[in-house]
Amino acid sequence: MIHSIAFRMLLLSLCVTWVGCVHRIQVTPLSASASSVTISRTLQAVISPISMEGPDHRPGIVLLEWPHLDLKQAVLRYLQQRDTFASVSFDPADLTLHVATKLTLTSHGGLYHYRIGLQAEMSEGVRSIKSYRAEHTAVGSSVRWVTASDRDPIGTALQAALEDLMRQVEADRLIYIGRTEHPSQRPPDDKPSAGG
């Protein structure tokens, strides 16, 4: 009987400790500066829920909670600050950028490594235009005792992956600005008149 009570107390204390140590993170990736490349189209950002894979490739990352809403807001703020597009929002727009995010946490050489992978697809209406992939890894600490030990490297990796993703999109600027021109908008060819 005494052993049963002691065991229950141990389980209860472990549960309380477990719940109290969850790292609920918020990240704020910021563009280093506004882009020198502009695409005069509006953009809708569609951000899928985060996929997470834990240490040593096990599913899930213990003690880490990264709300989907925080990721959506972080990506939206980054895209707005970068200023590549005429406007960026969650509302329907000229172009739609679908972004899927995967966070993988591994341990190498006694340090945690946080890898952010972004899989993105640009579309116009129901038609897909182009797919992109960007990935970046940030090295963290040897332990994960505090929230910052997860938040800081994740923020660094996300910012670098977003920078890479947007450089790829901006390199395709002509694809996107060319879609604003329709035959009726192009100036007529200069043709000599029948009499001249």
Side-chain angles (χ1 to χ4, degrees), residues 29-41:
L30 301 174
S31 179
S33 61
S35 173
S36 60
V37 175
T38 57
I39 299 172
S40 57
R41 309 285 305 277

Side-chain angles (χ1 to χ4, degrees), residues 30 56 71 125 162 174 179 184 195:
L30 301 174
D56 305 317
L71 173 65
L162 285 168
L174 294 178
R179 291 176 177 273
S184 60

Side-chain angles (χ1 to χ4, degrees), residues 3-170:
H3 293 297
S4 176
I5 292 172
F7 182 71
R8 287 181 188 167
M9 294 292 284
L10 176 63
L11 283 179
L12 180 61
S13 65
L14 285 174
C15 287
V16 169
T17 301
W18 182 271
V19 171
C21 292
V22 172
H23 298 172
R24 291 179 181 87
I25 66 164
Q26 286 186 298
V27 295
T28 53
L30 301 174
S31 179
S33 61
S35 173
S36 60
V37 175
T38 57
I39 299 172
S40 57
R41 309 285 305 277
T42 58
L43 181 73
Q44 177 184 19
V46 177
I47 315 301
S48 300
I50 306 155
S51 168
M52 292 196 265
E53 190 175 281
D56 305 317
H57 307 286
R58 293 189 299 272
I61 296 178
V62 178
L63 304 178
L64 174 63
E65 183 180 304
W66 187 7
H68 179 217
L69 179 60
D70 178 71
L71 173 65
K72 285 174 62 174
Q73 294 293 341
V75 173
L76 180 69
R77 281 191 304 267
Y78 174 89
L79 293 174
Q80 289 172 335
Q81 185 188 26
R82 191 165 179 99
D83 207 24
T84 302
F85 292 89
S87 69
V88 183
S89 69
F90 295 134
D91 300 324
D94 298 332
L95 299 168
T96 302
L97 183 66
H98 294 264
V99 181
T101 306
K102 182 174 183 179
L103 168 62
T104 305
L105 176 59
T106 56
S107 178
H108 300 292
L111 297 173
Y112 285 103
H113 294 246
Y114 298 78
R115 184 172 71 243
I116 293 282
L118 301 177
Q119 198 71 38
E121 182 177 342
M122 188 73 80
S123 60
E124 185 174 21
V126 295
R127 193 173 136 207
S128 174
I129 301 172
K130 191 160 182 186
S131 295
Y132 301 93
R133 180 167 175 71
E135 189 175 278
H136 190 80
T137 300
V139 179
S141 61
S142 58
V143 294
R144 297 170 60 217
W145 293 116
V146 295
T147 301
S149 62
D150 282 333
R151 183 194 61 227
D152 295 349
I154 289 172
T156 299
L158 178 60
Q159 180 169 327
L162 285 168
E163 295 277 343
D164 183 19
L165 172 65
M166 289 309 296
R167 279 193 293 269
Q168 294 177 55
V169 170
E170 290 160 2

